[in-house]
Each structure stands twice: as C-alpha cells, then as structure tokens.
Amino acid sequence: MITTVGLTKRYGPVTAVDDLSVDVAPGVVGLVGANGAGKSTLLKVLLGLLPATSGTASVLGLDVATQGEEIRARVGYMPEHDCLPPDVSATEFVVHMARMSGLPTTAARERTADTLRHVGLYEERYRPMGGYSTGMRQRVKLAQALAHDPQLVLLDEPTNGLDPAGRDDMLGLVRRIGTEFGISVLVTSHLLGELERVCDAVVVVDGGRLLRSTSTADLTAASALLVVEVEDGDRDGRGAQLLAGALRDAGVVVHPGGAASRLLEVELAGDATYDAVRDGAARLGLGLVRVQQRRHRMAEVFAPPAAGAGAPGPAVRASDDDQEVGARVGTV
Amino acid sequence: MRVSAPSERLAVPAPSGQRDAIHDIGYRHYDGPRLGRRAVQRALLLDSARGAYGLGRAGRTKIVPVLLLAAMCLPAVIVSIVASVIGAAQLPLNYTAYSTTLATLVVVFVATQAPASVSRDLRFRVVSLYFSRPMQRVDYVQAKFAGLALAVLAFLAAPQLLLLAGALLAEMPLREQLPDLARALAGAVVLSLVLAGVGLVLAAATPRRGLGVAAIITVLVVLSGVQAAVLGISLERGADTAAGWSGLLQPFTLVDGAATLLGAEATLPPGPPGTAGALVFAAVALALVAACYVLLVLRYRKVSVS
C-alpha cells in the first residue's frame, strides 16, 4: 500500500525524514513517534505535497514524485491542525469539500449525509462549526477526509486534544474505518499505547529514522503483566520479596525486581491474580502503591531494553498512563 | 459515541404508530463519476462568486453585499423613472459613467468581498484541505481570481442592465442604446479583472480579514487621491498631456481611459492623450491584471499545507 525506499527529506540543515525504507501493508497502520519525529512531514511527502530530497516513495502503487494528483484523488487526509471555517455548518462544509474532491453535487450531498452519520454527528451538523467542541471538530475533519470514499486515509493525530472518552470513540472509529468501511488507514500518534489497540501494524519513527516496523500481534504476543509496587514500612526493603513468596505460594508466576526493589512483575491470569495480590499484601500488612496493567513488550519499542533482565523499573515508567488500572491503592 | 454501540446502530424506530424507521445500512462505497481538475476548479469558481454575495453562506454574510448591490442599483432605478416621466430622449447618466460615478460603492464591495474570499481560507487553514486534493495551487488562484472578478462584474453590470430596461421603458430606441451598453460592459469586464486582482493580492497577503479590508480601501482611496492631486497640479500649470497621463494612477481612470479605444468619450476627463495614449492605458490595464495573477501564484506557492 505504501512503500518508501531510502526516503529523505531535509529542510535546510534539518533532516525531518532520514533514509526511511518501509513497506506498509493494507489495513490499519499506526505511525508512532515523538513530536518532531517526522510523522507529519512523511504524510505530506506521501501526498505528493512536498518533494523528497532523495529516495522514492509510492502510495497505492503510484509514485509520489510524479503522480501526486492521482494519489490525492484516492487518498483522504486529515491534518493535525484545525482547518474548519467557523461560519458554515458541518454539512455545508463537507459537501463543499466532497465537491472539491471531484464528486458531482448530488453525490456530494448523499456522501456527506452518510459520512457525517458514520463519524457520529447528528443534529449538530446543521449548526455553524464555530460553536463545536474539540471532539465534534475532529469528527468533521475526519468526515471531510472520508467524504469522497478514498482507498486510503492519512490521519494526522486524530486523538489530539480529546478527553479519554473522546479518544476511545475516535480510536474505535479509526478501527471501524479499517474493518467495516474497508478503507486502509495510516494513523499517527505520539502515544504508542492507544495505537496498539486499533492497529494491525505499527511503524515507529524517531528523529526521522525508522526504529521498528512490525505487526501489533508480534508486539503484544507476550502475555499481559501486572506491575505491583508495594510500600513495605519497616521491612527494610524486603516487602516485595515477601509478597513475591506469598504469591508464588498462591500459584502466581512472579518476576521479582532487584534486591532492594519495591516492584514486582506478576503474570496476569484473570481476575484471580488481582485477588491474590490484594490478599497477599493484606496478610503481610504491606501498602499497595500501585497495581498497573502493562502489555508485555509494546512500551519497550520506545525505551531501550532495561539493563539486566527482571528489572522492570525503566520499562514501567515508559509505559502509557492510560493502561493504569488500579493506581495508588492505599493500605488494603 | 453512539456509533460504537452496535445495538443502537441497527434501527431507530419512529414514534409509535408509524411504520417508518431509519435503517443503518452500513458503509456504502461510492462508485459514481469522479470529475477532473477542471470541473473541480469550476465548482470552486462558482462557489467563490456566489460567496461574494453570501449565497450558500451564513445569513449575516449576505447583509453587506446585498445592501451594497441595492445601493448600487437604486440610482439606476431613479434615473430610469425620471427619464420616463420627463420623456427624455437620452439617459441623463450614460452606462459607462454610471460605475465611475458610484466608484466608492464598487471599492467598498471589492474591499469587503476580496478578503472574505481568500483570508478565510488562509486564516482557518482551509487551504491545506484544498491542496491535499487533486486541485493544484494554480487552479485555486485561477478559480478565486475568476470567481471574484465575476462577482464584481455582476455588481457593475446589474445597474447597467437596469438602466437599459429604464431606457427601453422611456421608449428610447434600442439601436441607440446597445453600442453604448456594449462599450460599458466591455469596460466593466476589464475593471472587474483589475479590481479583483488588486483586491486579492492585498487580501491574500494577510490572514486577517479586517486588515485586508482596510488595506484595499486605503490603497484604492490613496491612489485616486494621488491621481486627483496630480491632475489638479497639471491642469493648474497648463500641462494638459501630463493631466491626461495622470489617469494611469488609479484603476477607474485607467480602465475608463482604455475604454476610449472603443469609441466612447472619457467619462472621467481629461482621458488619455490620443489613441496612442489609450493604447498605453489598455496595455497597462492588462499588464496590471497579469501582474496581480503572477503575484497571487507566487503568494500561494509559499502557503504551507500545515
């Protein structure tokens, strides 16, 4: 679907994309990287809007350097920034944008009604967009990218500025575009955790270079882990080890941290594991500082491998906040 | 979000007693015709022209252009009524003179509608959506230019056509009216291109709409002031040739001078010196339009997509 070979884009002395070679299969693909990693630049090169400094890229089998117009006719683009005039309604705006993609007026009207319904805009579609919330604005931006029924949509940070519920909605929508609508998606984010939930594959870039390109199934193949941090009071730092022993007795697989570590990694085997942790801590009189779910290897794509196996500290900090399930539990 | 709950997406039953229901038939692909770049450009052109009168926009954007158009047409109606009541053999105000007499209204129309056409797209970054579609930047510039020129032409031509209707009602012979009207319309075409070009170049320089309005009014008013000053000084010193050339300094006298090529008297005296002078006026008018187009293309080449 998207292929780049040695793609490089420089702005003067700044290299935004550096010798990037990646082959993206159809489906929902995440493009992950920190701010300034070159994600937006890559999207613009793929749309044929920015010429590459060197290297080649093709989208849907079309060369970005020479067939930009054909690419843009078949691809939908949702920019990261705001791009909605406040004085027209969502309906008027999306109809106009569908026509600007080459749809005849009647077809543009029908597609607009369909698309706005799919992204979840109902009565509010007739109001001027100046009064919309961030969530509604993001939906209109998504709708204008889908209005002409593209084969591929490029979504630049669609969850930007949304609250957690809005993020979940948007991510669910992204997933539906890929599965129900049958439109391939390239979606960018700086949060690995949210993309792992909806993407078939993830491409990780940093400083314009490819860090990793892999399917999400590979990334999250390992079983889920529970990170447990205990407050051991007067046990001289042995609280975690005592809890590890208690959990092993209860038949739970535990990877202990270092000698003085207050962290444990517990393999999650259903709700019973939570109960075992709670009961063990209560029996030993330990305070549970946090109980946090972490899917196994996803976060380590970002962070360098932790020094020494079984030392979960750095990886825990690299994991995403929204996976935290039982944060800051006091003494049980 | 409602769409993520499958049960709610299946069917929304209507109020009791009715058999109608809205069914979600899922995502439908579009396999109808897709129009090319030219058709898209035409759609944008018409949208821009209509937008200048607030058509297809929010209600309050219609107020200013409609009031201006009414003000522009009202004198034509009055002139027509007067002419038919007193049974005049000729219109007291001819077609070409009409738009130059009401130049202030034309300036205000261009100054308010040129920024409305382009500043909005720049300010709210709608351009990035246009340019991520098949349309190219040059297409956008052409469509916006032609769209505004069309709107200004309608603004200039509407009262001229009303005058013609008035003349016919006053039983003036059509054959005498048509040549003058044709000349006036030709002049209106050139004037609308010049004004749209100048207006858009100034408006596209800033994403701030108010700034664009102020800039256009300032430039056009200052230019006509300078022209009037040069004309006055020249006449005072008896330099008739210089007085004639002074018409080059602002759009209305420029186009009016160029229109003398078509055989009309200059409505804004003294007009260009001789036929050669009129040719120079015409050449300058066309060069000005071309220059505005080139400047706009250069401006939009620099507009970033993000």
Side-chain angles (χ1 to χ4, degrees), chain A residues 6-286:
Chain A
L7 191 70
T8 302
K9 174 66 196 175
R10 288 194 194 90
Y11 297 101
V14 182
T15 303
V17 177
D18 192 1
D19 194 24
L20 189 73
S21 297
V22 65
D23 198 351
V24 175
V28 183
V29 179
L31 178 62
V32 188
N35 293 332
K39 301 180 303 262
S40 297
T41 303
L42 179 60
L43 292 193
K44 274 175 254 166
V45 172
L46 292 177
L47 280 167
L49 296 172
L50 280 180
T53 312
S54 64
T56 58
S58 70
V59 175
L60 303 168
L62 300 161
D63 184 13
V64 297
T66 55
Q67 295 170 291
E69 193 186 320
E70 285 96 323
I71 291 175
R72 291 195 294 275
R74 291 170 208 197
V75 172
Y77 171 56
M78 172 180 174
E80 180 183 0
H81 55 77
D82 216 357
C83 54
L84 309 176
D87 58 340
V88 292
S89 71
T91 300
E92 289 164 333
F93 181 71
V94 177
V95 167
H96 179 62
M97 280 302 151
R99 292 178 71 209
M100 292 299 107
S101 290
L103 264 56
T105 311
T106 40
R109 291 225 173 85
E110 281 171 26
R111 288 281 318 164
T112 298
D114 270 13
T115 316
L116 286 175
R117 184 167 48 81
H118 282 302
V119 302
L121 271 183
Y122 302 94
E123 292 311 312
E124 53 275 25
R125 69 174 73 171
Y126 303 110
R127 292 207 320 258
M129 295 191 288
Y132 283 15
S133 67
T134 308
M136 284 153 72
R137 304 177 73 82
Q138 292 294 81
R139 284 168 200 209
V140 181
K141 279 163 65 180
L142 183 60
Q144 64 80 29
L146 290 169
H148 57 295
D149 188 28
Q151 294 168 29
L152 164 73
V153 281
L154 307 179
L155 311 178
D156 204 353
E157 305 267 1
T159 55
N160 235 8
L162 299 179
D163 58 25
R167 258 208 276 175
D168 286 346
D169 288 348
M170 180 55 77
L171 291 171
L173 202 47
V174 169
R175 184 74 207 156
R176 279 183 62 214
I177 293 169
T179 51
E180 282 178 44
F181 301 3
I183 298 171
S184 289
V185 180
L186 181 65
V187 52
T188 75
S189 175
H190 53 270
L191 294 173
L192 195 52
E194 61 178 34
L195 288 190
E196 104 184 296
R197 283 148 52 190
V198 296
C199 293
D200 303 322
V202 173
V203 174
V204 185
V205 290
D206 185 37
R209 283 187 308 277
L210 180 68
L211 271 193
R212 200 160 163 184
S213 170
T214 180
S215 79
T216 342
D218 291 349
L219 281 173
T220 55
S223 61
L225 286 183
L226 206 57
V227 176
V228 179
E229 183 177 346
V230 296
E231 176 58 60
D232 60 358
D234 53 357
R235 311 279 175 116
D236 303 327
R238 291 177 53 251
Q241 287 168 352
L242 290 172
L243 180 60
L247 288 173
R248 283 201 191 91
D249 293 342
V252 178
V253 185
V254 182
H255 309 287
S261 173
R262 292 187 294 163
L263 293 168
L264 290 176
E265 275 189 347
V266 178
E267 287 200 3
L268 187 58
D271 289 343
T273 312
Y274 290 107
D275 295 343
V277 169
R278 180 198 61 201
D279 296 345
R283 209 173 308 124
L284 292 163
L286 297 167

Side-chain angles (χ1 to χ4, degrees), chain B residues 15 26 103 107 111 124 145 147 187 192 221 223 237 241 248 264 299 301 306:
Chain B
V107 167
F124 302 107
F145 199 153
S192 60
V221 167
L223 281 179
R237 304 222 167 161
T241 322
L248 286 172
R299 166 72 181 100
R301 199 173 283 172
S306 63

Side-chain angles (χ1 to χ4, degrees), chain B residues 3 68 112 186 200 233 286 293:
Chain B
V3 290
L68 285 173
T112 49
L200 286 178
I233 294 168
L286 294 180
Y293 174 67

